[in-house]
């Protein structure tokens, strides 16, 4: 039977590319999303990948969501914690609400996503956890104190999970994308985007598929000895 992979935020952007790459690699994929039903339904129609709506910031929703996926597809062997948001502002203007929203979704959301499926992975002596961090978690970024804190936290999470899961056949790794051409990045003003591209030695944004290929490798049997690592995919923007 095909291994089951859950991808949070798997209906759009980088997550959609990850969902498609894992399906192409032979996994039974479930794509979670937050609330954009139109995008999720279009993704489902295009790919045949089932979509599941829940908020990764809510532990009980994550638990119920994972249980539903397992009832539909079987035990979850692979979890890709990809869902993430930005609420950018310079620190002196950042509101507690902007801080809290990003922490709840990007950091607590990883706990909420992995925690319900971890015991099953331990019991079955196999698991793959991949967390989508960011170059800005490695180097920090103006107006992203909240976001950079969560993305640096992702690296601490996988390094700790790696040590806890290694004996149980579970690996946990992070992928740190540089700037990728998704709606998140295309939404910034064109001038800002041009200044971002000017800082990338590759001279271009990355493609979501370039991140998806990193994930497909990390979840494969071939990557069983890679545990607690961070893959940077950023066009030589930063060596983290
Ligand atoms: N794009 C980049 O350049 C870049 C660079 C480095 C790291 N990253 C990271 O890569 C990940 C994906 O980014 P992206 O650019 O592909 O984002 P995106 O295009 O904005 O897509 C975000 C996805 O996450 C889902 N999502 C957001 N909040 C959620 C929540 N509370 N619960 C469940 N799902 C939620 C969205 O669902 P809906 O469709 O329902 O809204 C959507 O499927 C993020 O963690 C981001 O921080 C991105």
């Amino acid at each position: 039977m095909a291994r089951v992979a859950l991808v949070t935020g798997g209906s759009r952007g980088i997550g959609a590319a990850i969902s498609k790459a894992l399906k192409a690699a032979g996994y039974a994929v479930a794509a979670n999303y937050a609330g954009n039903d139109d995008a999720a339904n279009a993704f489902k129609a295009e790919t045949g990948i089932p979509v599941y709506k829940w908020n990764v910031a809510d532990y009980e929703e994550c638990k119920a969501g994972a249980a539903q996926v397992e009832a539909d597809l079987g035990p979850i062997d692979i979890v890709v914690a990809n869902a993430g948001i930005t609420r950018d502002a310079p620190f002196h203007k950042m509101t507690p609400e902007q801080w809290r929203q990003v922490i709840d979704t990007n950091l607590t959301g990883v706990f909420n996503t992995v925690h319900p499926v971890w015991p099953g992975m331990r019991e079955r002596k196999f698991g793959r956890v991949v967390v989508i961090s960011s170059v800005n978690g490695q180097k920090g970024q103006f107006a992203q104190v909240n976001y950079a804190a969560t993305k640096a936290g992702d690296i601490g999470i996988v390094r700790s999970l790696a040590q806890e899961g290694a004996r149980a056949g579970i690996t946990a790794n992070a992928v740190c994308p540089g700037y990728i051409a998704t709606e998140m990045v295309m939404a910034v003003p064109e001038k800002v985007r041009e200044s971002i591209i000017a800082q990338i030695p590759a001279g271009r944004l990355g493609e979501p598929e370039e991140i998806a290929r990193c994930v497909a490798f990390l979840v494969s049997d071939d990557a069983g000895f890679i545990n607690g690592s961070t893959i940077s995919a950023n066009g030589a923007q930063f060596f983290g």
Side-chain angles (χ1 to χ4, degrees), residues 32 56 139 154 176 191 202:
N32 148 267
V56 298
K139 71 173 189 57
D154 288 341
C176 286
K191 273 207 163 153

Side-chain angles (χ1 to χ4, degrees), residues 137-226:
Q138 297 172 299
K139 71 173 189 57
Q141 177 60 25
F142 186 93
Q144 288 198 327
V145 163
N146 50 1
Y147 183 82
T150 65
K151 296 300 179 179
D154 288 341
I155 294 170
I157 289 173
V158 300
R159 287 179 180 170
S160 303
L161 285 179
Q163 294 176 54
E164 293 195 25
R167 287 280 171 98
I170 306 171
T171 68
N173 294 287
V175 177
C176 286
Y179 285 91
I180 307 300
T182 67
E183 283 170 44
M184 185 186 264
V185 166
M186 299 316 273
V188 305
E190 198 175 339
K191 273 207 163 153
V192 177
R193 203 162 57 244
E194 279 169 11
S195 72
I196 288 171
I197 293 172
Q199 293 163 28
I200 304 172
R204 65 171 177 88
L205 298 171
E207 295 298 327
E209 292 73 19
E210 293 180 300
I211 305 307
R213 286 195 286 274
C214 298
V215 175
F217 172 62
L218 287 172
V219 304
S220 71
D221 285 350
D222 287 344
F225 203 54
I226 300 175

Side-chain angles (χ1 to χ4, degrees), residues 8-15 32-36 39 54-57 82-85 105-106 132-135 147 151 177-185:
T8 66
S11 60
R12 283 200 293 123
I14 293 171
N32 148 267
Y33 70 105
N36 189 335
W54 72 77
N55 177 8
V56 298
N82 162 80
I85 59 169
T105 302
N106 296 13
I132 306 304
S133 176
S134 169
V135 64
Y147 183 82
K151 296 300 179 179
Y179 285 91
I180 307 300
T182 67
E183 283 170 44
M184 185 186 264
V185 166

